[in-house]
Structure formats: structure tokens, C-alpha cells
Amino acid sequence: MSRIYYTDAYCRAFEARVVRAFDHEGRPAVVLDRTAFYPTSGGQPFDAGVLGAVAVVDVVDVEGDVVHVLSSPLAEGAAVHGEIDWGRRFDHMQQHTGQHVLSAALVHVCQAPTVSFHLGGDTSTIDLGAVVSPADAERAVDEANRIVWEDREVAVRFASGDEARALPLRKEPARQGELRLIEVPQFDLSACGGTHVARTGAIGLIAVTGTERFKGGLRLTFVCGGRALRTLRQLRDSVAGSVRVLSVLPPELPAAVERLQAEGKGLRKTIAGLQAALAVHEADRLLAAAGAAGGRRVITEIYEDWDAVGLKTIASSLIARDPVAVALVAGGPAATVVVACAPSLGLDAGAVVRQLADRFGGRGGGRPDMAQAGGLSGHTAEIAAAAHALLD
Ligand SMILES: [Zn+2]
């Protein structure tokens, strides 16, 4: 069986014959006498496409055979016209060749070897065996793009294991026997079975989009070619959206967000102060209303927009002044309830709150005189009524 992509990565369509048809893990599969389909390996995903009218849904390397997993079976001996999904393949070629150039640049500039590579659906990653500073990593990216823009040849040749041992390969080859070597002249030489563009210029652009510490080294996330353009568009759209909302220029975005956060913090402080001041008046009003209702000892009230701190301020003010039991409920996407009981009543606010949390969901607890629960689901009026029944 011959692998067309070994010598011609640009072959998109080919004629072949089915030499073996079988089931692979419960799905129909074939081995062909020749194929341009790349099987998942070396960090690069498989090629999708068709064999005649049948879709190729996975391609795997099984003991030296390229196994094409199909949407429906093909007969042994059948002649087929194969076509690979060229958009997907060319994208993989850009990312994979970009990885060679970037990994080599990281060795040249930072002496940081690549220990693993993964080509993902949106971005790719390389893991470095050493930590490099952001500035050094950027210098390596500059160097990699210089090689891209010089449009150097990406040559493919084959060498025996003995020949290869004498060559300055970037990485010790993982396999024995004849090796396929990928060379960017005067820059990189490595053994690889993947698919690559013919000249570095076709990589277009190599851009690192993020870095993170990883197992004593550094993981770089990067995009090349078409993905770099797509990433730039996404960034442009999100920056344009933020700039419109905040009415600032793009370089001023971080400062504008910080300013908003500080303003939010200040406002929360102001609200807490206002709630504390208002709590005293609310306590007066509730006690007056309870007295007017014939000396009612259980007070319930709903404050849709208040927070737990505000509710507790009102509740403590109430039980400090009169022997009452209080349940105050605030709304929002998840309700909050504060229960307070004057000690002389001998009630347990904590137990009441736990019963409410059992019934309405949410979490809470507290002391016999003051307890609260949050995250309750249900109408505030319903929660207030249930609390009233428990306290009465
Ligand atoms: Zn490669």
C-alpha cells in the first residue's frame, strides 16, 4: 500500500482499488492499494473526504495499514475515486508546518525544545521542556515569521536509520528503520510522517495566542494561516463591541474596565450605607404596622431589591426593640430570606431557615436569634407566607 501524501501532500483526488474490506470496531472499513488520506498520528488529525459516494469518517493507522472507516461498506476489489476534504487538509498542513518552524525557532532563540504537539480544532499547542520568558517567546515568534516570509522550501526526503543518526535532527526520532525527513534549509531538519506545505510562505503567519505553565515547562497556544486571520477577525469584533459600549479607544480598554470595577465597588459601599440608614426607618414602620394590626408578634415583609446585609440590619433593629419574630425576604433570580427571633420568644431562627431551605432549595443556617438562607427558588410571597406559618 502506498501513501501518496508522503511524496505529494497536494494530491486531493486519486484512483485506487479496495484490497481489503472489513469491520473496524463495529464500523465498515477498507484498506486501499494507494491513498492520499492521512491517518491520525503525530499530533495531526485524519483527513475527511469521500471514496466514491461513501464518506470517510475516520482514518487510522493500524499496524502499518491506513484504515479508512466509512459511512457505509465498499466491496473488496472495487475501483474507487477518492477525494479528500481539501479545506480541512490544507488547514492541517498550515498548522503542522507552522509548528515545525515555530519549534525550530524556539530552539534557535531560546534553547527550548518541543516535547509534544497537538493540532486542535481551533488552536494548536506545543509543550516546551523549559520555561521561557514572554519576551523570549515573542522573539522566537518573530524569527519563525521571518522564515515564513522568506518563503523557504519545505523539502521531503528519505533516509535510512544509520544515515539519519549522522544528521543534526532537531528531535531524536521515535521510530526505527527508514525515516521521512522534513527540511527547511539552514533552519530545521526533523523526522516526521505528517503533511506539510511546499514552501514556508504558505504558512502565511504564525501567531501565539496564549501561554501557560505546564509540567515544569511552558505550553504555547498558536494559530497559523487561515486560523490566524479568523482569530484576528474574532478579536476585532470583540474589541469593536467593547469599544462601542465603553466609548474608549482599544488601547484604553483595560483601564476602562478597571475603572468600571472600582465604580461598582464604590456603589456597593454606598448602597450598604444607605441600606443601614434606611433600616432604622423600616424597623419603625414595620413595628408601627404590627402594633396597628393588634400587636402582631410575627412580622414578615418582602424587599425585592435588598441584599442579605440590608435585611439583617432591619431584622436586628426590630428584635433589639421589641419581642418579635421576623422573616424578611429579598427577590432576584434566587431569593434570600433572613429570619430573626427575639430571645425571649424561645424560637430557633436557624431551624426555621433550614426548614425553608429544605422546602424551597438553597442553603442556609445560623443562630437561634439570627439566620439566613440564599438561593431559594419560589415566589417571595410564597416564601414569606411559609416563614410566617413556621414562626406563628
Ligand atoms: Zn511534520
Side-chain angles (χ1 to χ4, degrees):
M1 179 218 51
S2 76
R3 303 183 190 223
I4 298 165
Y5 62 82
Y6 267 174
T7 47
D8 183 6
Y10 284 81
C11 173
R12 316 174 187 198
F14 61 100
E15 306 302 324
R17 190 164 293 280
V18 176
V19 295
R20 215 149 55 78
F22 52 99
D23 252 32
H24 177 78
E25 294 173 356
R27 293 186 293 179
V30 292
V31 169
L32 306 175
D33 60 346
R34 58 200 295 271
T35 188
F37 279 87
Y38 182 78
T40 299
S41 53
Q44 182 181 331
F46 67 94
D47 288 330
V50 291
L51 292 177
V54 173
V56 175
V57 296
D58 193 9
V59 188
V60 286
D61 204 320
V62 181
E63 292 166 9
D65 279 334
V66 176
V67 173
H68 307 70
V69 180
L70 308 174
S71 59
S72 53
L74 282 171
E76 233 162 62
V80 289
H81 173 78
E83 257 184 71
I84 62 171
D85 175 342
W86 180 246
R88 175 180 164 93
R89 157 66 87 73
F90 185 69
D91 168 55
H92 292 167
M93 284 160 58
Q94 283 188 317
Q95 312 311 313
H96 189 142
T97 317
Q99 180 262 314
H100 279 246
V101 175
L102 181 58
S103 286
L106 284 157
V107 170
H108 294 315
V109 175
C110 318
Q111 293 77 48
T114 293
V115 293
S116 74
F117 161 56
H118 175 71
L119 203 173
D122 294 315
T123 58
S124 303
T125 54
I126 51 181
D127 292 343
L128 302 179
V131 175
V132 302
S133 72
D136 282 348
E138 284 308 308
R139 283 201 301 128
V141 171
D142 286 342
E143 175 68 354
N145 281 296
R146 182 177 72 83
I147 300 300
V148 170
W149 300 329
E150 281 182 13
D151 195 25
R152 294 195 193 181
E153 186 190 7
V154 180
V156 181
R157 62 191 166 100
F158 294 86
S160 71
D162 285 341
E163 284 173 296
R165 255 189 294 281
L167 294 170
L169 295 182
R170 171 159 49 80
K171 196 177 167 186
E172 188 80 11
R175 45 175 291 183
Q176 306 289 315
E178 190 185 48
L179 291 173
R180 182 166 173 266
L181 303 180
I182 307 301
E183 180 171 29
V184 177
Q186 280 87 56
F187 194 70
D188 187 40
L189 180 65
S190 46
C192 180
T195 57
H196 309 85
V197 293
R199 303 191 69 87
T200 57
I203 298 166
L205 181 74
I206 301 172
V208 168
T209 57
T211 58
E212 58 182 311
R213 290 292 187 99
F214 183 76
K215 287 185 186 162
L218 195 70
R219 171 168 288 180
L220 295 184
T221 302
F222 69 98
V223 287
C224 302
R227 293 189 185 195
L229 179 59
R230 205 161 73 209
T231 304
L232 183 64
R233 285 194 180 121
Q234 282 167 350
L235 284 174
R236 175 200 61 197
D237 290 349
S238 56
V239 168
S242 311
V243 161
R244 221 174 11 250
V245 173
L246 296 172
S247 302
V248 294
L249 295 170
E252 298 160 2
L253 270 177
V257 170
E258 267 177 42
R259 209 158 48 236
L260 276 179
Q261 282 178 329
E263 270 174 34
K265 208 172 157 188
L267 283 174
R268 281 194 296 276
K269 215 170 149 185
T270 304
I271 288 167
L274 290 171
Q275 283 187 345
L278 193 52
V280 181
H281 300 286
E282 276 303 303
D284 285 343
R285 185 180 69 78
L286 291 172
L287 284 175
R296 189 155 64 93
R297 295 293 86 185
V298 178
I299 297 172
T300 58
E301 190 74 9
I302 295 161
Y303 293 92
E304 289 292 349
D305 299 325
W306 283 52
D307 61 20
V309 177
L311 299 186
K312 275 157 88 172
T313 313
I314 301 174
S316 3
S317 176
L318 282 168
I319 60 168
R321 286 155 60 180
D322 255 321
V324 289
V326 188
L328 305 177
V329 186
T336 301
V337 60
V338 166
V339 175
C341 302
S344 63
L345 297 176
L347 293 166
D348 184 351
V352 170
V353 150
R354 278 191 295 277
Q355 278 174 278
L356 289 172
D358 279 349
R359 175 160 163 201
F360 294 98
R363 292 162 63 86
R367 303 183 313 261
D369 63 331
M370 175 75 70
Q372 73 175 84
L376 283 71
S377 53
H379 287 293
T380 45
E382 210 185 326
I383 297 167
H388 192 282
L390 288 166
L391 292 167
D392 217 359

